[in-house]
Structures are given as C-alpha cells and as structure tokens.
PDB file of all heavy atoms in Angstrom:
ATOM      1  N   SER H   1     124.443-158.101-157.003  1.00 91.00           N
ATOM      2  CA  SER H   1     124.814-157.845-158.409  1.00 91.00           C
ATOM      3  C   SER H   1     125.603-159.019-158.919  1.00 91.00           C
ATOM      4  O   SER H   1     125.759-159.094-160.182  1.00 91.00           O
ATOM      5  CB  SER H   1     125.594-156.525-158.488  1.00 91.00           C
ATOM      6  OG  SER H   1     126.771-156.583-157.707  1.00 91.00           O
ATOM      7  N   TRP H   2     126.070-159.881-158.158  1.00 87.00           N
ATOM      8  CA  TRP H   2     126.941-160.926-158.691  1.00 87.00           C
ATOM      9  C   TRP H   2     126.815-162.205-157.798  1.00 87.00           C
ATOM     10  O   TRP H   2     127.478-162.257-156.765  1.00 87.00           O
ATOM     11  CB  TRP H   2     128.314-160.421-158.685  1.00 87.00           C
ATOM     12  CG  TRP H   2     129.373-161.346-159.224  1.00 87.00           C
ATOM     13  CD1 TRP H   2     129.296-162.284-160.160  1.00 87.00           C
ATOM     14  CD2 TRP H   2     130.827-161.444-158.790  1.00 87.00           C
ATOM     15  NE1 TRP H   2     130.387-162.963-160.339  1.00 87.00           N
ATOM     16  CE2 TRP H   2     131.356-162.493-159.603  1.00 87.00           C
ATOM     17  CE3 TRP H   2     131.555-160.760-157.856  1.00 87.00           C
ATOM     18  CZ2 TRP H   2     132.714-162.792-159.391  1.00 87.00           C
ATOM     19  CZ3 TRP H   2     132.858-161.119-157.710  1.00 87.00           C
ATOM     20  CH2 TRP H   2     133.430-162.085-158.535  1.00 87.00           C
ATOM     21  N   LYS H   3     125.808-163.008-158.128  1.00 86.00           N
ATOM     22  CA  LYS H   3     125.501-164.261-157.285  1.00 86.00           C
ATOM     23  C   LYS H   3     126.784-165.270-157.529  1.00 86.00           C
ATOM     24  O   LYS H   3     127.121-165.447-158.585  1.00 86.00           O
ATOM     25  CB  LYS H   3     124.296-164.905-157.740  1.00 86.00           C
ATOM     26  CG  LYS H   3     123.099-164.031-157.459  1.00 86.00           C
ATOM     27  CD  LYS H   3     122.640-163.994-156.031  1.00 86.00           C
ATOM     28  CE  LYS H   3     121.480-163.287-155.782  1.00 86.00           C
ATOM     29  NZ  LYS H   3     121.265-162.742-154.538  1.00 86.00           N
ATOM     30  N   ALA H   4     127.270-165.762-156.337  1.00 84.00           N
ATOM     31  CA  ALA H   4     128.271-166.805-156.485  1.00 84.00           C
ATOM     32  C   ALA H   4     127.691-168.086-157.005  1.00 84.00           C
ATOM     33  O   ALA H   4     126.585-168.481-156.561  1.00 84.00           O
ATOM     34  CB  ALA H   4     128.843-166.989-155.103  1.00 84.00           C
ATOM     35  N   THR H   5     128.302-168.658-157.962  1.00 88.00           N
ATOM     36  CA  THR H   5     127.882-169.830-158.483  1.00 88.00           C
ATOM     37  C   THR H   5     128.648-171.181-157.978  1.00 88.00           C
ATOM     38  O   THR H   5     128.332-172.248-158.485  1.00 88.00           O
ATOM     39  CB  THR H   5     127.977-169.855-160.108  1.00 88.00           C
ATOM     40  OG1 THR H   5     129.214-169.550-160.456  1.00 88.00           O
ATOM     41  CG2 THR H   5     126.997-168.831-160.575  1.00 88.00           C
ATOM     42  N   GLY H   6     129.593-170.861-157.263  1.00 91.00           N
ATOM     43  CA  GLY H   6     130.397-172.044-156.761  1.00 91.00           C
ATOM     44  C   GLY H   6     131.221-171.520-155.514  1.00 91.00           C
ATOM     45  O   GLY H   6     131.336-170.325-155.204  1.00 91.00           O
ATOM     46  N   VAL H   7     131.922-172.435-154.826  1.00 93.00           N
ATOM     47  CA  VAL H   7     132.682-172.179-153.667  1.00 93.00           C
ATOM     48  C   VAL H   7     133.773-171.206-153.923  1.00 93.00           C
ATOM     49  O   VAL H   7     134.012-170.293-153.107  1.00 93.00           O
ATOM     50  CB  VAL H   7     133.236-173.521-153.025  1.00 93.00           C
ATOM     51  CG1 VAL H   7     134.099-173.193-151.838  1.00 93.00           C
ATOM     52  CG2 VAL H   7     131.966-174.411-152.574  1.00 93.00           C
ATOM     53  N   LEU H   8     134.545-171.471-155.012  1.00 93.00           N
ATOM     54  CA  LEU H   8     135.656-170.562-155.300  1.00 93.00           C
ATOM     55  C   LEU H   8     135.279-169.119-155.536  1.00 93.00           C
ATOM     56  O   LEU H   8     135.891-168.247-155.126  1.00 93.00           O
ATOM     57  CB  LEU H   8     136.577-171.052-156.387  1.00 93.00           C
ATOM     58  CG  LEU H   8     137.330-172.317-156.228  1.00 93.00           C
ATOM     59  CD1 LEU H   8     138.016-172.733-157.511  1.00 93.00           C
ATOM     60  CD2 LEU H   8     138.400-172.094-155.237  1.00 93.00           C
ATOM     61  N   GLN H   9     134.159-168.911-156.258  1.00 90.00           N
ATOM     62  CA  GLN H   9     133.690-167.586-156.368  1.00 90.00           C
ATOM     63  C   GLN H   9     133.117-166.990-155.207  1.00 90.00           C
ATOM     64  O   GLN H   9     133.359-165.876-154.779  1.00 90.00           O
ATOM     65  CB  GLN H   9     132.571-167.624-157.515  1.00 90.00           C
ATOM     66  CG  GLN H   9     132.009-166.179-157.916  1.00 90.00           C
ATOM     67  CD  GLN H   9     131.079-166.357-159.043  1.00 90.00           C
ATOM     68  OE1 GLN H   9     130.558-167.430-159.355  1.00 90.00           O
ATOM     69  NE2 GLN H   9     130.677-165.212-159.477  1.00 90.00           N
ATOM     70  N   PHE H  10     132.537-167.810-154.339  1.00 90.00           N
ATOM     71  CA  PHE H  10     132.069-167.244-153.031  1.00 90.00           C
ATOM     72  C   PHE H  10     133.234-166.746-152.236  1.00 90.00           C
ATOM     73  O   PHE H  10     133.201-165.668-151.654  1.00 90.00           O
ATOM     74  CB  PHE H  10     131.277-168.360-152.275  1.00 90.00           C
ATOM     75  CG  PHE H  10     131.043-167.956-150.808  1.00 90.00           C
ATOM     76  CD1 PHE H  10     130.051-167.090-150.464  1.00 90.00           C
ATOM     77  CD2 PHE H  10     131.891-168.642-149.901  1.00 90.00           C
ATOM     78  CE1 PHE H  10     129.911-166.784-149.147  1.00 90.00           C
ATOM     79  CE2 PHE H  10     131.564-168.195-148.523  1.00 90.00           C
ATOM     80  CZ  PHE H  10     130.578-167.246-148.129  1.00 90.00           C
ATOM     81  N   PHE H  11     134.344-167.625-152.257  1.00 92.00           N
ATOM     82  CA  PHE H  11     135.513-167.178-151.341  1.00 92.00           C
ATOM     83  C   PHE H  11     136.201-165.958-151.875  1.00 92.00           C
ATOM     84  O   PHE H  11     136.769-165.057-151.207  1.00 92.00           O
ATOM     85  CB  PHE H  11     136.533-168.317-151.173  1.00 92.00           C
ATOM     86  CG  PHE H  11     136.068-169.225-150.011  1.00 92.00           C
ATOM     87  CD1 PHE H  11     135.760-170.529-150.428  1.00 92.00           C
ATOM     88  CD2 PHE H  11     135.870-168.888-148.720  1.00 92.00           C
ATOM     89  CE1 PHE H  11     135.315-171.475-149.444  1.00 92.00           C
ATOM     90  CE2 PHE H  11     135.426-169.755-147.826  1.00 92.00           C
ATOM     91  CZ  PHE H  11     135.135-171.027-148.200  1.00 92.00           C
ATOM     92  N   PHE H  12     136.122-165.799-153.252  1.00 91.00           N
ATOM     93  CA  PHE H  12     136.668-164.610-153.953  1.00 91.00           C
ATOM     94  C   PHE H  12     135.839-163.497-153.496  1.00 91.00           C
ATOM     95  O   PHE H  12     136.430-162.396-153.254  1.00 91.00           O
ATOM     96  CB  PHE H  12     136.669-164.853-155.445  1.00 91.00           C
ATOM     97  CG  PHE H  12     137.272-163.716-156.297  1.00 91.00           C
ATOM     98  CD1 PHE H  12     138.678-163.190-156.014  1.00 91.00           C
ATOM     99  CD2 PHE H  12     136.429-162.661-156.861  1.00 91.00           C
ATOM    100  CE1 PHE H  12     139.193-162.120-156.701  1.00 91.00           C
ATOM    101  CE2 PHE H  12     136.909-161.654-157.425  1.00 91.00           C
ATOM    102  CZ  PHE H  12     138.267-161.288-157.432  1.00 91.00           C
ATOM    103  N   GLN H  13     134.550-163.535-153.507  1.00 90.00           N
ATOM    104  CA  GLN H  13     133.773-162.431-153.068  1.00 90.00           C
ATOM    105  C   GLN H  13     133.926-162.019-151.578  1.00 90.00           C
ATOM    106  O   GLN H  13     134.034-160.815-151.291  1.00 90.00           O
ATOM    107  CB  GLN H  13     132.207-162.809-153.183  1.00 90.00           C
ATOM    108  CG  GLN H  13     131.759-162.910-154.693  1.00 90.00           C
ATOM    109  CD  GLN H  13     130.293-163.322-154.721  1.00 90.00           C
ATOM    110  OE1 GLN H  13     129.647-164.171-153.926  1.00 90.00           O
ATOM    111  NE2 GLN H  13     129.647-162.870-155.766  1.00 90.00           N
ATOM    112  N   VAL H  14     134.172-163.087-150.695  1.00 90.00           N
ATOM    113  CA  VAL H  14     134.442-162.750-149.421  1.00 90.00           C
ATOM    114  C   VAL H  14     135.866-161.935-149.371  1.00 90.00           C
ATOM    115  O   VAL H  14     135.973-160.897-148.607  1.00 90.00           O
ATOM    116  CB  VAL H  14     134.688-163.983-148.555  1.00 90.00           C
ATOM    117  CG1 VAL H  14     135.128-163.672-147.206  1.00 90.00           C
ATOM    118  CG2 VAL H  14     133.226-164.647-148.331  1.00 90.00           C
ATOM    119  N   LEU H  15     136.766-162.315-150.159  1.00 93.00           N
ATOM    120  CA  LEU H  15     137.962-161.743-150.184  1.00 93.00           C
ATOM    121  C   LEU H  15     137.922-160.166-150.678  1.00 93.00           C
ATOM    122  O   LEU H  15     138.550-159.298-150.078  1.00 93.00           O
ATOM    123  CB  LEU H  15     139.010-162.358-151.159  1.00 93.00           C
ATOM    124  CG  LEU H  15     140.405-161.934-151.286  1.00 93.00           C
ATOM    125  CD1 LEU H  15     141.135-162.100-149.844  1.00 93.00           C
ATOM    126  CD2 LEU H  15     141.219-162.702-152.271  1.00 93.00           C
ATOM    127  N   VAL H  16     137.049-159.981-151.593  1.00 91.00           N
ATOM    128  CA  VAL H  16     136.852-158.637-152.077  1.00 91.00           C
ATOM    129  C   VAL H  16     136.092-157.696-151.159  1.00 91.00           C
ATOM    130  O   VAL H  16     136.407-156.510-151.047  1.00 91.00           O
ATOM    131  CB  VAL H  16     135.895-158.756-153.412  1.00 91.00           C
ATOM    132  CG1 VAL H  16     135.409-157.366-153.815  1.00 91.00           C
ATOM    133  CG2 VAL H  16     136.726-159.436-154.467  1.00 91.00           C
ATOM    134  N   THR H  17     135.248-158.337-150.170  1.00 93.00           N
ATOM    135  CA  THR H  17     134.553-157.503-149.172  1.00 93.00           C
ATOM    136  C   THR H  17     135.434-157.251-147.972  1.00 93.00           C
ATOM    137  O   THR H  17     135.121-156.400-147.093  1.00 93.00           O
ATOM    138  CB  THR H  17     133.337-158.265-148.773  1.00 93.00           C
ATOM    139  OG1 THR H  17     133.601-159.495-148.210  1.00 93.00           O
ATOM    140  CG2 THR H  17     132.381-158.454-149.867  1.00 93.00           C
ATOM    141  N   LEU H  18     136.624-158.003-147.618  1.00 95.00           N
ATOM    142  CA  LEU H  18     137.275-157.779-146.551  1.00 95.00           C
ATOM    143  C   LEU H  18     137.921-156.471-146.330  1.00 95.00           C
ATOM    144  O   LEU H  18     138.035-155.943-145.157  1.00 95.00           O
ATOM    145  CB  LEU H  18     138.448-158.892-146.474  1.00 95.00           C
ATOM    146  CG  LEU H  18     137.862-160.295-146.042  1.00 95.00           C
ATOM    147  CD1 LEU H  18     139.103-161.256-146.091  1.00 95.00           C
ATOM    148  CD2 LEU H  18     137.168-160.433-144.769  1.00 95.00           C
ATOM    149  N   PRO H  19     138.242-155.727-147.382  1.00 95.00           N
ATOM    150  CA  PRO H  19     138.859-154.411-147.057  1.00 95.00           C
ATOM    151  C   PRO H  19     137.766-153.559-146.558  1.00 95.00           C
ATOM    152  O   PRO H  19     138.114-152.599-145.772  1.00 95.00           O
ATOM    153  CB  PRO H  19     139.216-153.851-148.500  1.00 95.00           C
ATOM    154  CG  PRO H  19     139.529-155.095-149.337  1.00 95.00           C
ATOM    155  CD  PRO H  19     138.562-156.139-148.768  1.00 95.00           C
ATOM    156  N   ALA H  20     136.385-153.688-146.854  1.00 95.00           N
ATOM    157  CA  ALA H  20     135.344-152.801-146.288  1.00 95.00           C
ATOM    158  C   ALA H  20     135.387-153.201-144.683  1.00 95.00           C
ATOM    159  O   ALA H  20     135.059-152.274-143.965  1.00 95.00           O
ATOM    160  CB  ALA H  20     134.139-153.109-146.885  1.00 95.00           C
ATOM    161  N   ALA H  21     135.554-154.441-144.335  1.00 94.00           N
ATOM    162  CA  ALA H  21     135.464-154.722-142.884  1.00 94.00           C
ATOM    163  C   ALA H  21     136.654-154.177-142.266  1.00 94.00           C
ATOM    164  O   ALA H  21     136.533-153.685-141.073  1.00 94.00           O
ATOM    165  CB  ALA H  21     135.500-156.298-142.759  1.00 94.00           C
ATOM    166  N   LEU H  22     137.796-154.227-142.897  1.00 94.00           N
ATOM    167  CA  LEU H  22     139.093-153.574-142.244  1.00 94.00           C
ATOM    168  C   LEU H  22     138.836-152.122-142.039  1.00 94.00           C
ATOM    169  O   LEU H  22     139.262-151.566-141.059  1.00 94.00           O
ATOM    170  CB  LEU H  22     140.300-153.872-143.181  1.00 94.00           C
ATOM    171  CG  LEU H  22     140.809-155.317-142.977  1.00 94.00           C
ATOM    172  CD1 LEU H  22     141.829-155.568-144.094  1.00 94.00           C
ATOM    173  CD2 LEU H  22     141.192-155.738-141.588  1.00 94.00           C
ATOM    174  N   LEU H  23     138.300-151.393-143.085  1.00 94.00           N
ATOM    175  CA  LEU H  23     138.017-149.980-143.087  1.00 94.00           C
ATOM    176  C   LEU H  23     137.098-149.645-141.924  1.00 94.00           C
ATOM    177  O   LEU H  23     137.327-148.710-141.227  1.00 94.00           O
ATOM    178  CB  LEU H  23     137.434-149.542-144.410  1.00 94.00           C
ATOM    179  CG  LEU H  23     137.127-148.013-144.458  1.00 94.00           C
ATOM    180  CD1 LEU H  23     138.335-147.176-144.304  1.00 94.00           C
ATOM    181  CD2 LEU H  23     136.398-147.697-145.767  1.00 94.00           C
ATOM    182  N   GLY H  24     135.968-150.382-141.803  1.00 94.00           N
ATOM    183  CA  GLY H  24     134.970-150.152-140.738  1.00 94.00           C
ATOM    184  C   GLY H  24     135.594-150.308-139.477  1.00 94.00           C
ATOM    185  O   GLY H  24     135.413-149.532-138.441  1.00 94.00           O
ATOM    186  N   ALA H  25     136.442-151.486-139.208  1.00 94.00           N
ATOM    187  CA  ALA H  25     136.970-151.681-137.954  1.00 94.00           C
ATOM    188  C   ALA H  25     137.951-150.583-137.606  1.00 94.00           C
ATOM    189  O   ALA H  25     138.087-150.199-136.411  1.00 94.00           O
ATOM    190  CB  ALA H  25     137.690-153.094-137.999  1.00 94.00           C
ATOM    191  N   TRP H  26     138.757-150.087-138.535  1.00 93.00           N
ATOM    192  CA  TRP H  26     139.743-149.132-138.401  1.00 93.00           C
ATOM    193  C   TRP H  26     139.099-147.742-137.904  1.00 93.00           C
ATOM    194  O   TRP H  26     139.387-147.165-136.918  1.00 93.00           O
ATOM    195  CB  TRP H  26     140.645-148.847-139.522  1.00 93.00           C
ATOM    196  CG  TRP H  26     141.638-147.795-139.345  1.00 93.00           C
ATOM    197  CD1 TRP H  26     141.574-146.576-139.820  1.00 93.00           C
ATOM    198  CD2 TRP H  26     142.974-147.928-138.725  1.00 93.00           C
ATOM    199  NE1 TRP H  26     142.682-145.828-139.452  1.00 93.00           N
ATOM    200  CE2 TRP H  26     143.597-146.649-138.771  1.00 93.00           C
ATOM    201  CE3 TRP H  26     143.523-148.951-137.974  1.00 93.00           C
ATOM    202  CZ2 TRP H  26     144.848-146.476-138.184  1.00 93.00           C
ATOM    203  CZ3 TRP H  26     144.722-148.721-137.445  1.00 93.00           C
ATOM    204  CH2 TRP H  26     145.392-147.468-137.539  1.00 93.00           C
ATOM    205  N   ALA H  27     138.186-147.356-138.830  1.00 93.00           N
ATOM    206  CA  ALA H  27     137.479-145.990-138.690  1.00 93.00           C
ATOM    207  C   ALA H  27     136.489-145.863-137.483  1.00 93.00           C
ATOM    208  O   ALA H  27     136.481-144.879-136.854  1.00 93.00           O
ATOM    209  CB  ALA H  27     136.816-145.661-139.953  1.00 93.00           C
ATOM    210  N   ILE H  28     135.718-146.951-137.259  1.00 93.00           N
ATOM    211  CA  ILE H  28     134.685-146.959-136.259  1.00 93.00           C
ATOM    212  C   ILE H  28     134.969-147.851-135.049  1.00 93.00           C
ATOM    213  O   ILE H  28     134.729-147.503-133.889  1.00 93.00           O
ATOM    214  CB  ILE H  28     133.384-147.362-136.948  1.00 93.00           C
ATOM    215  CG1 ILE H  28     132.927-146.399-138.177  1.00 93.00           C
ATOM    216  CG2 ILE H  28     132.206-147.343-135.881  1.00 93.00           C
ATOM    217  CD1 ILE H  28     131.944-147.039-139.012  1.00 93.00           C
ATOM    218  N   GLY H  29     135.633-148.959-135.251  1.00 92.00           N
ATOM    219  CA  GLY H  29     135.716-150.015-134.348  1.00 92.00           C
ATOM    220  C   GLY H  29     136.847-149.615-133.220  1.00 92.00           C
ATOM    221  O   GLY H  29     136.826-149.967-132.094  1.00 92.00           O
ATOM    222  N   LEU H  30     137.847-148.924-133.684  1.00 92.00           N
ATOM    223  CA  LEU H  30     138.943-148.571-132.797  1.00 92.00           C
ATOM    224  C   LEU H  30     138.876-147.164-132.368  1.00 92.00           C
ATOM    225  O   LEU H  30     138.424-146.277-133.189  1.00 92.00           O
ATOM    226  CB  LEU H  30     140.277-148.645-133.598  1.00 92.00           C
ATOM    227  CG  LEU H  30     140.601-150.077-134.007  1.00 92.00           C
ATOM    228  CD1 LEU H  30     141.960-150.208-134.943  1.00 92.00           C
ATOM    229  CD2 LEU H  30     140.760-151.080-132.834  1.00 92.00           C
ATOM    230  N   SER H  31     139.273-146.866-131.295  1.00 91.00           N
ATOM    231  CA  SER H  31     139.250-145.431-130.653  1.00 91.00           C
ATOM    232  C   SER H  31     140.540-144.713-131.273  1.00 91.00           C
ATOM    233  O   SER H  31     141.419-145.393-131.743  1.00 91.00           O
ATOM    234  CB  SER H  31     139.391-145.530-129.225  1.00 91.00           C
ATOM    235  OG  SER H  31     140.538-145.921-128.773  1.00 91.00           O
ATOM    236  N   PRO H  32     140.526-143.409-131.266  1.00 92.00           N
ATOM    237  CA  PRO H  32     141.676-142.685-131.772  1.00 92.00           C
ATOM    238  C   PRO H  32     142.916-143.144-131.046  1.00 92.00           C
ATOM    239  O   PRO H  32     144.106-143.317-131.703  1.00 92.00           O
ATOM    240  CB  PRO H  32     141.358-141.251-131.537  1.00 92.00           C
ATOM    241  CG  PRO H  32     139.873-141.214-131.563  1.00 92.00           C
ATOM    242  CD  PRO H  32     139.480-142.471-130.847  1.00 92.00           C
ATOM    243  N   SER H  33     142.944-143.418-129.761  1.00 93.00           N
ATOM    244  CA  SER H  33     144.152-143.856-129.060  1.00 93.00           C
ATOM    245  C   SER H  33     144.555-145.259-129.602  1.00 93.00           C
ATOM    246  O   SER H  33     145.721-145.510-129.674  1.00 93.00           O
ATOM    247  CB  SER H  33     143.933-143.815-127.578  1.00 93.00           C
ATOM    248  OG  SER H  33     142.980-144.729-127.205  1.00 93.00           O
ATOM    249  N   GLU H  34     143.627-146.127-129.845  1.00 92.00           N
ATOM    250  CA  GLU H  34     143.998-147.499-130.294  1.00 92.00           C
ATOM    251  C   GLU H  34     144.613-147.436-131.750  1.00 92.00           C
ATOM    252  O   GLU H  34     145.510-148.073-132.098  1.00 92.00           O
ATOM    253  CB  GLU H  34     142.728-148.319-130.295  1.00 92.00           C
ATOM    254  CG  GLU H  34     142.281-148.717-128.945  1.00 92.00           C
ATOM    255  CD  GLU H  34     140.828-149.298-128.958  1.00 92.00           C
ATOM    256  OE1 GLU H  34     139.944-148.905-129.851  1.00 92.00           O
ATOM    257  OE2 GLU H  34     140.659-150.150-127.967  1.00 92.00           O
ATOM    258  N   ARG H  35     144.036-146.510-132.663  1.00 92.00           N
ATOM    259  CA  ARG H  35     144.649-146.371-133.914  1.00 92.00           C
ATOM    260  C   ARG H  35     145.999-145.774-133.816  1.00 92.00           C
ATOM    261  O   ARG H  35     146.907-146.232-134.514  1.00 92.00           O
ATOM    262  CB  ARG H  35     143.675-145.359-134.761  1.00 92.00           C
ATOM    263  CG  ARG H  35     142.437-146.105-135.230  1.00 92.00           C
ATOM    264  CD  ARG H  35     141.698-145.245-136.279  1.00 92.00           C
ATOM    265  NE  ARG H  35     141.259-143.978-135.848  1.00 92.00           N
ATOM    266  CZ  ARG H  35     140.139-143.710-135.150  1.00 92.00           C
ATOM    267  NH1 ARG H  35     139.251-144.755-135.068  1.00 92.00           N
ATOM    268  NH2 ARG H  35     139.746-142.424-134.880  1.00 92.00           N
ATOM    269  N   GLN H  36     146.197-144.830-133.027  1.00 92.00           N
ATOM    270  CA  GLN H  36     147.563-144.235-132.730  1.00 92.00           C
ATOM    271  C   GLN H  36     148.504-145.396-132.266  1.00 92.00           C
ATOM    272  O   GLN H  36     149.652-145.383-132.787  1.00 92.00           O
ATOM    273  CB  GLN H  36     147.503-143.115-131.713  1.00 92.00           C
ATOM    274  CG  GLN H  36     148.846-142.429-131.570  1.00 92.00           C
ATOM    275  CD  GLN H  36     149.498-141.965-132.806  1.00 92.00           C
ATOM    276  OE1 GLN H  36     148.792-141.430-133.751  1.00 92.00           O
ATOM    277  NE2 GLN H  36     150.721-142.129-133.063  1.00 92.00           N
ATOM    278  N   LEU H  37     148.101-146.156-131.326  1.00 93.00           N
ATOM    279  CA  LEU H  37     149.034-147.274-130.793  1.00 93.00           C
ATOM    280  C   LEU H  37     149.404-148.084-131.964  1.00 93.00           C
ATOM    281  O   LEU H  37     150.515-148.530-132.073  1.00 93.00           O
ATOM    282  CB  LEU H  37     148.304-148.086-129.765  1.00 93.00           C
ATOM    283  CG  LEU H  37     148.934-149.185-129.125  1.00 93.00           C
ATOM    284  CD1 LEU H  37     150.343-148.822-128.513  1.00 93.00           C
ATOM    285  CD2 LEU H  37     148.047-149.948-128.153  1.00 93.00           C
ATOM    286  N   ILE H  38     148.410-148.555-132.832  1.00 92.00           N
ATOM    287  CA  ILE H  38     148.708-149.333-134.005  1.00 92.00           C
ATOM    288  C   ILE H  38     149.652-148.728-134.946  1.00 92.00           C
ATOM    289  O   ILE H  38     150.643-149.368-135.364  1.00 92.00           O
ATOM    290  CB  ILE H  38     147.412-149.857-134.745  1.00 92.00           C
ATOM    291  CG1 ILE H  38     146.586-150.851-133.683  1.00 92.00           C
ATOM    292  CG2 ILE H  38     147.805-150.553-136.032  1.00 92.00           C
ATOM    293  CD1 ILE H  38     145.201-151.094-134.210  1.00 92.00           C
ATOM    294  N   ARG H  39     149.434-147.518-135.243  1.00 90.00           N
ATOM    295  CA  ARG H  39     150.393-146.747-136.112  1.00 90.00           C
ATOM    296  C   ARG H  39     151.753-146.719-135.534  1.00 90.00           C
ATOM    297  O   ARG H  39     152.767-146.974-136.231  1.00 90.00           O
ATOM    298  CB  ARG H  39     149.825-145.389-136.302  1.00 90.00           C
ATOM    299  CG  ARG H  39     148.807-145.111-137.289  1.00 90.00           C
ATOM    300  CD  ARG H  39     148.537-143.657-137.559  1.00 90.00           C
ATOM    301  NE  ARG H  39     147.237-143.391-137.985  1.00 90.00           N
ATOM    302  CZ  ARG H  39     146.220-142.882-137.276  1.00 90.00           C
ATOM    303  NH1 ARG H  39     146.460-142.551-135.992  1.00 90.00           N
ATOM    304  NH2 ARG H  39     145.040-142.749-137.760  1.00 90.00           N
ATOM    305  N   SER H  40     151.926-146.452-134.181  1.00 90.00           N
ATOM    306  CA  SER H  40     153.210-146.501-133.668  1.00 90.00           C
ATOM    307  C   SER H  40     153.872-147.799-133.688  1.00 90.00           C
ATOM    308  O   SER H  40     155.112-147.917-133.969  1.00 90.00           O
ATOM    309  CB  SER H  40     153.248-145.949-132.208  1.00 90.00           C
ATOM    310  OG  SER H  40     152.575-146.877-131.420  1.00 90.00           O
TER     311      SER H  40
END
C-alpha cells in the first residue's frame, strides 16, 4: 500500500513494522515461563 521511494522512507517503514515483530516474538516465540521471567 505504500512503496518506499527512498532509503529514509524504507527505514521508517521498517520502524513501523517492528512492533509487529515484537508482538509475535512475545506472544508466539516465547514460552509462558520465558514471558514470566521477563516480566519479573
């Protein structure tokens, strides 16, 4: 939906997508005990 036209825009797009990577890593990539350890 939004093609990057330059390097700065590309890096901004990467920055925008990082929360999705963090959410996936937290919810799926870590076990419940690993999430609990991080919370503590």
Side-chain angles (χ1 to χ4, degrees):
S1 63
W2 181 32
K3 297 283 185 202
T5 56
V7 173
L8 287 177
Q9 188 176 6
F10 169 75
F11 283 116
F12 179 73
Q13 287 177 331
V14 170
L15 185 65
V16 168
T17 61
L18 287 179
L22 290 173
L23 177 67
W26 179 263
I28 301 167
L30 298 175
S31 68
S33 62
E34 290 167 331
R35 287 192 296 270
Q36 183 56 40
L37 177 65
I38 291 170
R39 279 190 207 103
S40 68

